[in-house]
Amino acid sequence: MTAQDSAIRPAAVAPQQDRTSGTALAALGVASFSLSFPATAWSLTGFGPWSSTGLRGVLAAVLAGLYLLASDAPMPTRRQWPGLLVVSAGCVLGFPLLTTLALRTSSTAHSAVVIGVLPLATAVVSAVRTGRRPSRAFWAAALAGASAVLVFTLLQSHGRPTVADLYLFVGLVVCAAGYAEGGRLSRDLPGAQVIAWAVLAALPVMALTSAFGLSTEPVRFGAKAVAGLLYIAGVSQFGGFVLWYRGMAGIGVPRASQLQLAQPLLTLVWSVLLLGEDLPAAAPVTAVVVLVCIAVTQRART
């Protein structure tokens, strides 16, 4: 091996290492998000939907504020604030509230599968926002994965979408915008700062939501309710996003988004183990199709 080869090899290895670590971080984020619906269902055993959503945001804001103080993070620039507000509106306000409202009448398993369209929506928003176009192989696999999830959903609901499905559909649209914008911002800001500032930006609204919920909804403290609330506040609303946005920064929004095709299937497992829900017969077949689609999107050019 020549001296020139030695000089080139580290530069070639570094991007591969970044991609591997980025994939691992994004996958850990997906794993942490997969518990969000069961944890939300637990929180609803003691809190109403408005109380649960508001307290989730307030507690996450406390963690975010402590992190920003401890890390002495600088204020975002004027150019970064519009994107942070999109993350705040989509991932901190809209998605948590809409999915919590849906879970009042929809099972955790069904809700998780509806949200399986989120990876495709995120990839589309990212392509529109950044102008980058993934390859045809990527889009084909992404569409196949989303189609498998949609067919599964329609089979579960006997072809009749419900009001809960409407909540979930709107929720995934606003969440896709927040994911894509957060992934774009993570190229300039650490992922932890992206979600921390977004959570803090939502604090006034979350405080009002908490006050409204606690004054109008019954509260029954219990171990499951408190554990569920602490999880969705500390992990679903903050810690998971730290991993997720760092992973997006490493491998790009389109490729990271497709890892979320596995999230509904993981949530199905949690719903059976933690909530005692029935595992649909079509779930294993859907799981195989989705895993194949994920493998293709991770290898396709983006």
Side-chain angles (χ1 to χ4, degrees), residues 159-279:
R160 297 187 299 271
T162 64
V163 174
D165 291 334
L166 178 61
Y167 282 137
L168 293 167
F169 178 76
V170 177
L172 72 87
V173 171
V174 298
C175 188
Y179 277 176
E181 198 64 21
R184 185 187 67 82
L185 286 170
S186 294
R187 298 171 185 169
D188 301 322
L189 288 174
Q193 290 186 27
V194 171
I195 189 59
W197 287 115
V199 168
L200 279 182
L203 179 58
V205 177
M206 287 304 195
L208 290 174
T209 302
S210 298
F212 170 75
L214 292 173
S215 64
T216 58
E217 298 170 337
V219 175
R220 295 180 297 276
F221 288 103
K224 282 187 176 181
V226 173
L229 180 62
L230 292 178
Y231 187 91
I232 58 178
V235 180
S236 302
Q237 196 65 80
F238 185 66
F241 274 101
V242 174
L243 300 170
W244 180 235
Y245 283 143
R246 286 188 63 185
M248 277 189 164
I251 63 176
V253 174
R255 184 174 280 119
S257 70
Q258 297 311 299
L259 290 173
Q260 277 203 307
L261 283 169
Q263 184 174 321
L265 304 171
L266 290 172
T267 301
L268 283 174
V269 174
W270 297 129
S271 68
V272 172
L273 296 178
L274 300 177
L275 304 177
E277 296 183 4
D278 295 328
L279 183 67

Side-chain angles (χ1 to χ4, degrees), residues 67-93:
Y67 161 75
L68 291 171
L69 286 174
S71 61
D72 196 24
M75 284 287 292
T77 65
R78 182 179 298 180
R79 178 178 58 85
Q80 292 166 336
W81 271 113
L84 288 171
L85 292 177
V86 172
V87 176
S88 185
C91 300
V92 184
L93 294 171

Side-chain angles (χ1 to χ4, degrees), residues 25 100 117 131 154 162 174 187 196 203 218 258 286 293:
L25 288 170
T100 302
V117 186
L154 291 174
T162 64
V174 298
R187 298 171 185 169
L203 179 58
Q258 297 311 299
T286 308
C293 292

